[in-house]
Amino acid sequence: MKRITMGLSLLTMVMAAHAQDKSKPAGDSAKVSKNMAYEKVITKDAITRQGMFTVHLVDNKYYFEIPDSLLKRDILVVTRFVGTPELSGVYAGEKANERTIYFEKGQGNKLLMRVDVFSVRVKDENQALAKAVQSSAIKPITAAFDIKTVNSANGNMVIDVTDFLKKDNSALSIDAAVKNDMKLGSIADDRSFITSVNAYPINIEVRTTRTYTTSGAAIPAAALSGAVTLEMNVSMVLLPKEPMRKRLFDERVGFMASKYILFDEDAQVSQEKYLIQRYRLEPKPEDLEKYKRGELVEPVKQIVYYIDPATPKKWRPYLIAGVNDWQKAFEQAGFKNAIVAKEWPEGDTTMSLEDARFSVIRYLASPIPNAYGPRISDPRSGEIIESHVGWYHNVMKLIHDWYMIQVGPNDARARKMVFDDELMGDLIRFVSSHEIGHTIGLRHNMGASSQTPVEKLRDKAWVEANGHTVSIMDYARFNYVAQPEDNIGKAGLYPRIGAYDKWAIQWGYKQIFNTSDEYQDSKILNKWVVDSLAANPRLWFGGEGKGEDPRSQTEDLGDDVMVANEYGIKNLKRVVPELVKWTAEDGDMDDNLERIYKGVVKQYTKYLYHVMKYIGGQYVTRKSAEQPGDVYEKLPKARVKEAISFIGRNLMEPPLWLYDKSITTRLNIFEMDEIMTMQNNMMTTILNAGMMYNLVQRYTNGKEQYTVTEYLNDVKKAVWKPLAGDPVKDTYYRGVQRMYVEKLVMAINTSRLKEGKLLNNLERSDASLYARTHLQAIKNELMISNVPGALNQAHKTNLIREIDKSLKGDDK
């Protein structure tokens, strides 16, 4: 009994001690309360703003008053540029940094700020495995604050954040890559200050001016002063207490996604998973049964985009229309009026353009011809919190030039340097829709345009009803296949939101019921993909256009690019003779002509390289186990042959039409140099040893064989033009023949072998043997050929000599 009594006494003493401590702040806070009363820190002169945190300004110092309820709550911190130097390469509205942070109590009267990281997850938090993952995922402490005082009325902790907000730190600083590009050095404390701190219900907005030392002489302000001053805005946004239901990425549907590593006790290996980024769209509770029955309902929270009040007023209706065009897509996911654009309420002082609660289409006064549509999303769930579309002023220059060059023969409105407001407005609307597509989560789908039959692009009724591509997320630009005699109106020339876009929104946003988590959801989503693609193959997602599949390219059209681009070249042949007239403006010193003509040449080379991708590429169609057929499929031999023939007709036969004398004499263009450079670049690609090696690997086995010998004969037939005595054309033909022999010689000679180095598989392959055999055949033909003229005869003799040197391995 004595031992039990002593134990009870000890327990009583401990409980009493704890009871006493409960009335005082933990750790050193008792000392703080005694020595630093709340009223002495937050004086009667404080300027106070209520919001997510209560913010106080006292004697030029800023304090956050943080309640216990917000400890360990994730806060998304987004730093943006508000004002930037001229020609600095960064613009107002662009993101400079992003972190997720949270606060927690620390030892020694400290409040710690940690950076939350979400790169590793467990499938079930109740699994024992979760402990192992947690012990290997300690969150870094990015700042530690002294608790200056505690508000006795509510227990809120008060910290001084002045230096934290004003100086550089990992949570608020500019991204390291941007700093490097701008050559920013250390921050100058004496020239950096806090402009304002505003509090809102779920966010804090901090405006600062920061001055950095710099060696960035390319920035005019830096060259003059040795410093760069930036105006910055930091949004600290409280993330939802309950994260949105996650949705797993499927590479057959083009959504932006965030990667993580998944650990699961029931799996024998860790898995790479991705969460798609999307807005939280949910039916109102009272409409849930209607939604389940398939009736259109309005979401709990509408997606709203505001138009920057700096935007010229005449373009605002078109930007708004570009946003509202997505309403039809969201209807396919079961929601009506899900997305809308509005004018910014300029008289409302409670709203700020930098407030992360508001998505804004920002107008950027920049010479950059571009636009972009980033998103800020909850890293825990993929929920898009807000988006800022950046619309650079000179994007109008870009779309003007595309439209004039691609469809000038079809639309008389395109034949001048300043478009009417209605036409330019229509083009801005299309750009707005494309960029909004990114902000709601969609990636580019560069394969979309390949799903439209070429001849349908010339069918007035069909193309005006369906559009020339199934996705506005493609870089399909304008319908350059249409010919003037087709009489196609603007509905068949402009891009629009198409069938793929609507289906992708349905897949990403339609609610799923009666499942326990995102992993069960993914099984349903997989079935949606399999069934949808089986019913409508035009819904294929072709990716970003960076791979080897020739169906997935930027700025191409139709299911047969050889035919489509022949139509495109026919239109360019109509454009070139008209350029001097179309680009004329009073006082212009041919700057307009030079700009548009360069665009024509660029368009022409795009047509060539669209076709070039059919030589050496392969089809890639991502599939799940339920889908039949190959993922990787070699191109039909006939398609490769068509591509070679196209290159022969449209490049190796010199495109003299591109160099109209009315243009070359005004711009001092030397067509021979330009044409031969293009020919040489193309020949380097189609006659290199790597191309031959690819053919050996892909076409040696299987029903359809395409030998390197047959390939080389096809190339020679297309590009080796016989000398005929025409002084102009023979000059080009001789150049092509010399290039042809030169490239084959390069395929034969292996410098690594001469240097005594190990060869790789390409160099050990039969590619050099094919090239050597082909060269010998060319020599044999040259020996018995008759060519007109002394110059042609000298050329022939020189080619034979070069081939002999190569075949003998004599470099002298």
Side-chain angles (χ1 to χ4, degrees):
M1 284 295 295
K2 186 175 181 181
R3 292 178 64 185
I4 294 175
T5 302
M6 289 178 63
L8 287 172
S9 299
L10 181 61
L11 178 61
T12 301
M13 291 170 63
V14 171
M15 291 177 66
H18 274 286
Q20 291 172 355
D21 286 347
K22 203 172 183 181
S23 63
K24 300 176 182 179
D28 295 336
S29 56
K31 183 178 179 181
V32 171
S33 295
K34 180 179 179 181
N35 297 330
M36 297 186 67
Y38 180 83
E39 293 76 13
K40 290 185 177 181
V41 178
I42 309 302
T43 68
K44 60 182 177 58
D45 296 323
I47 299 173
T48 299
R49 294 183 175 89
Q50 302 290 337
M52 179 178 80
F53 302 145
T54 301
V55 177
H56 305 284
L57 174 59
V58 184
D59 294 332
N60 293 320
K61 288 188 175 182
Y62 284 93
Y63 296 90
F64 282 173
E65 187 172 320
I66 302 176
D68 282 344
S69 61
L70 292 185
L71 295 182
K72 295 194 175 182
R73 283 287 303 273
D74 279 317
I75 298 168
L76 190 64
V77 181
V78 181
T79 303
R80 293 188 185 279
F81 296 104
V82 176
T84 60
E86 293 179 355
L87 303 178
S88 63
V90 294
Y91 299 92
E94 291 184 347
K95 185 175 71 173
N97 196 6
E98 178 183 336
R99 294 287 188 274
T100 303
I101 57 106
Y102 63 88
F103 290 96
E104 69 175 16
K105 292 282 286 289
Q107 295 181 347
N109 195 42
K110 296 285 187 181
L111 192 64
L112 305 181
M113 177 189 288
R114 291 186 185 265
V115 174
D116 216 345
V117 184
F118 303 95
S119 55
V120 177
R121 308 179 190 224
V122 291
K123 188 171 183 179
D124 186 346
E125 294 290 344
N126 296 317
Q127 291 180 342
L129 180 64
K131 296 179 181 178
V133 171
Q134 185 176 6
S135 65
S136 302
I138 300 299
K139 312 297 185 183
I141 299 171
T142 191
F145 301 91
D146 291 326
I147 299 174
K148 297 298 184 182
T149 187
V150 174
N151 188 337
S152 59
N154 50 30
N156 293 350
M157 295 158 284
V158 178
I159 59 175
D160 182 348
V161 293
T162 310
D163 286 344
F164 175 75
L165 297 179
K166 185 175 71 172
K167 297 183 179 181
D168 259 359
N169 55 75
S170 62
L172 309 183
S173 183
I174 301 169
D175 182 82
V178 177
K179 262 190 169 183
N180 184 63
D181 289 344
M182 298 180 70
K183 295 182 171 54
L184 299 183
S186 59
I187 196 165
D189 287 344
D190 61 329
R191 288 165 284 168
S192 301
F193 48 89
I194 301 169
T195 306
S196 64
V197 182
N198 292 308
Y200 300 95
I202 64 164
N203 60 305
I204 304 294
E205 301 297 317
V206 181
R207 186 75 73 93
T208 63
T209 296
R210 299 185 189 181
T211 300
Y212 292 86
T213 60
T214 180
S215 59
I219 303 174
L224 292 171
S225 64
V228 167
T229 297
L230 302 163
E231 292 184 6
M232 312 293 296
N233 190 87
V234 177
S235 296
M236 307 179 71
V237 184
L238 183 66
L239 292 176
K241 192 168 187 178
E242 292 298 325
M244 180 185 72
R245 176 71 163 259
K246 297 181 278 289
R247 185 157 291 189
L248 297 180
F249 173 74
D250 187 313
E251 58 188 298
R252 296 164 296 179
V253 189
F255 268 85
M256 307 287 185
S258 305
K259 175 183 173 182
Y260 66 94
I261 305 298
L262 178 69
F263 287 91
D264 179 9
E265 284 186 357
D266 296 326
Q268 298 182 3
V269 295
S270 62
Q271 304 169 62
E272 285 188 0
K273 296 287 186 181
Y274 295 82
L275 296 179
I276 70 167
Q277 297 174 4
R278 58 184 182 138
Y279 278 97
R280 186 189 292 236
L281 276 191
E282 299 168 334
K284 298 172 183 176
E286 62 270 25
D287 291 334
L288 187 58
E289 293 306 316
K290 292 180 181 179
Y291 183 88
K292 290 180 178 180
R293 291 196 300 266
E295 297 179 35
L296 292 180
V297 302
E298 293 189 344
V300 172
K301 183 180 180 182
Q302 192 179 45
I303 303 169
V304 179
Y305 287 87
Y306 290 97
I307 307 301
D308 183 349
T311 305
K313 289 185 177 180
K314 64 181 177 180
W315 304 133
R316 296 180 193 178
Y318 298 100
L319 290 167
I320 290 172
V323 177
N324 294 345
D325 284 342
W326 282 98
Q327 290 181 5
K328 287 294 183 183
F330 282 100
E331 287 179 7
Q332 201 155 316
F335 297 99
K336 63 182 178 181
N337 302 319
I339 185 169
V340 68
K342 300 178 180 180
E343 294 265 7
W344 182 264
E346 296 184 49
D348 190 341
T349 58
T350 66
M351 293 177 65
S352 166
L353 284 170
E354 280 70 48
D355 187 336
R357 293 176 301 166
F358 305 119
S359 295
V360 181
I361 299 178
R362 298 295 299 265
Y363 174 78
L364 307 176
S366 161
I368 293 177
N370 201 6
Y372 69 103
R375 303 140 313 285
I376 302 300
S377 62
D378 185 341
R380 305 167 305 170
S381 65
E383 178 183 355
I384 297 172
I385 304 300
E386 58 92 16
S387 303
H388 276 62
V389 175
W391 175 43
Y392 298 99
H393 180 82
N394 267 16
V395 75
M396 291 186 285
K397 172 184 175 182
L398 191 68
I399 54 182
H400 167 279
D401 295 358
W402 286 339
Y403 198 72
M404 174 184 279
I405 291 166
Q406 294 177 20
V407 297
N410 295 279
D411 189 345
R413 301 176 302 163
R415 301 168 191 168
K416 53 186 177 181
M417 291 306 297
V418 178
F419 287 171
D420 295 339
D421 286 354
E422 180 184 0
L423 173 56
M424 181 54 72
D426 286 344
L427 304 185
I428 287 171
R429 178 176 182 171
F430 126 68
V431 174
S432 174
S433 287
H434 178 92
E435 299 305 336
I436 290 297
H438 288 313
T439 68
I440 57 180
L442 297 183
R443 294 166 58 195
H444 290 126
N445 180 5
M446 300 307 188
S449 56
S450 71
Q451 301 305 300
T452 301
V454 171
E455 295 304 329
K456 291 296 184 184
L457 299 173
R458 297 191 58 193
D459 183 330
K460 177 178 172 63
W462 190 93
V463 76
E464 289 182 2
N466 297 283
H468 65 275
T469 176
V470 295
S471 176
I472 201 164
M473 303 313 297
D474 195 353
Y475 280 177
R477 311 310 187 196
F478 306 104
N479 184 0
Y480 61 73
V481 169
Q483 301 293 293
E485 62 268 26
D486 301 332
N487 297 310
I488 291 173
K490 64 182 185 180
L493 299 177
Y494 300 163
R496 70 179 79 169
I497 293 166
Y500 165 81
D501 305 310
K502 296 174 183 177
W503 174 73
I505 292 298
Q506 175 185 329
W507 183 90
Y509 281 89
K510 187 171 183 177
Q511 298 287 295
I512 297 174
F513 300 99
N514 302 319
T515 54
S516 60
D517 56 27
E518 66 270 23
Y519 303 104
Q520 285 193 14
D521 289 349
S522 67
K523 296 178 181 179
I524 295 173
L525 292 166
N526 175 63
K527 189 173 188 309
W528 287 1
V529 173
V530 173
D531 292 348
S532 296
L533 288 175
N536 185 3
R538 298 183 74 219
L539 301 178
W540 175 64
F541 172 65
E544 301 280 350
K546 298 175 183 177
E548 57 188 331
D549 193 326
R551 298 171 300 176
S552 182
Q553 301 194 65
T554 64
E555 305 187 55
D556 64 334
L557 291 181
D559 63 347
D560 190 329
V561 76
M562 275 68 81
V563 175
N565 289 2
E566 289 281 12
Y567 285 129
I569 289 174
K570 284 181 70 174
N571 273 332
L572 290 184
K573 289 178 178 178
R574 296 182 176 106
V575 169
V576 169
E578 303 295 331
L579 282 187
V580 172
K581 182 172 66 175
W582 290 1
T583 60
E585 287 185 308
D586 290 347
D588 177 58
M589 303 297 291
D590 291 327
D591 293 336
N592 291 342
L593 178 62
E594 182 177 17
R595 167 182 141 193
I596 301 298
Y597 179 70
K598 284 181 178 179
V600 169
V601 175
K602 186 176 181 180
Q603 188 71 27
Y604 164 73
T605 56
K606 283 176 184 174
Y607 292 153
L608 296 176
Y609 282 93
H610 290 159
V611 172
M612 181 60 236
K613 203 166 181 179
Y614 276 86
I615 306 175
Q618 64 177 334
Y619 295 140
V620 182
T621 308
R622 305 303 301 170
K623 297 179 179 181
S624 62
E626 302 90 341
Q627 293 175 285
D630 297 331
V631 173
Y632 295 94
E633 182 182 1
K634 67 186 180 185
L635 303 179
K637 181 169 65 173
R639 300 290 276 163
V640 183
K641 287 175 172 285
E642 288 169 10
I644 295 169
S645 179
F646 180 98
I647 298 298
R649 289 192 309 275
N650 292 292
L651 177 59
M652 300 309 168
E653 184 66 45
L656 298 175
W657 60 268
L658 191 55
Y659 297 89
D660 191 283
K661 293 301 179 186
S662 67
I663 296 173
T664 59
T665 55
R666 296 180 74 94
L667 300 181
N668 196 30
I669 293 170
F670 297 96
E671 61 263 31
M672 182 175 293
D673 184 57
E674 291 197 3
I675 291 173
M676 293 186 72
T677 297
M678 288 190 285
Q679 291 172 332
N680 182 65
N681 292 341
M682 185 64 69
M683 202 83 78
T684 298
T685 302
I686 62 181
L687 283 179
N688 71 69
M691 183 68 76
M692 299 179 208
Y693 185 44
N694 284 340
L695 288 166
V696 170
Q697 294 189 91
R698 288 182 183 165
Y699 290 94
T700 299
N701 300 315
K703 296 179 181 179
E704 189 175 55
Q705 295 189 11
Y706 191 29
T707 65
V708 176
T709 298
E710 186 179 358
Y711 169 76
L712 291 174
N713 287 335
D714 286 340
V715 173
K716 180 175 178 294
K717 180 180 177 182
V719 307
W720 189 285
K721 308 297 182 182
L723 304 174
D726 182 318
V728 175
K729 287 196 172 183
D730 279 358
T731 300
Y732 289 100
Y733 294 165
R734 287 192 297 269
V736 169
Q737 290 180 5
R738 281 191 285 268
M739 292 174 203
Y740 195 93
V741 170
E742 172 194 333
K743 306 309 175 189
L744 289 171
V745 169
M746 291 173 65
I748 290 173
N749 293 325
T750 306
S751 59
R752 290 165 61 90
L753 185 60
K754 295 175 185 176
E755 295 165 3
K757 296 180 180 178
L758 292 175
L759 305 184
N760 56 37
N761 286 341
L762 165 61
E763 292 162 329
R764 295 189 195 98
S765 74
D766 291 339
S768 63
L769 297 179
Y770 285 112
R772 182 179 293 273
T773 302
H774 192 62
L775 265 181
Q776 183 64 60
I778 290 174
K779 177 190 171 182
N780 294 341
E781 289 182 16
L782 287 170
M783 293 290 289
I784 62 174
S785 66
N786 292 314
V787 293
L791 189 58
N792 285 340
Q793 186 62 45
H795 164 73
K796 167 187 167 180
T797 302
N798 186 62
L799 282 183
I800 293 172
R801 182 168 58 249
E802 291 299 318
I803 292 172
D804 277 340
K805 285 172 61 177
S806 177
L807 293 176
K808 293 175 182 177
D810 182 6
D811 289 334
K812 296 181 181 177

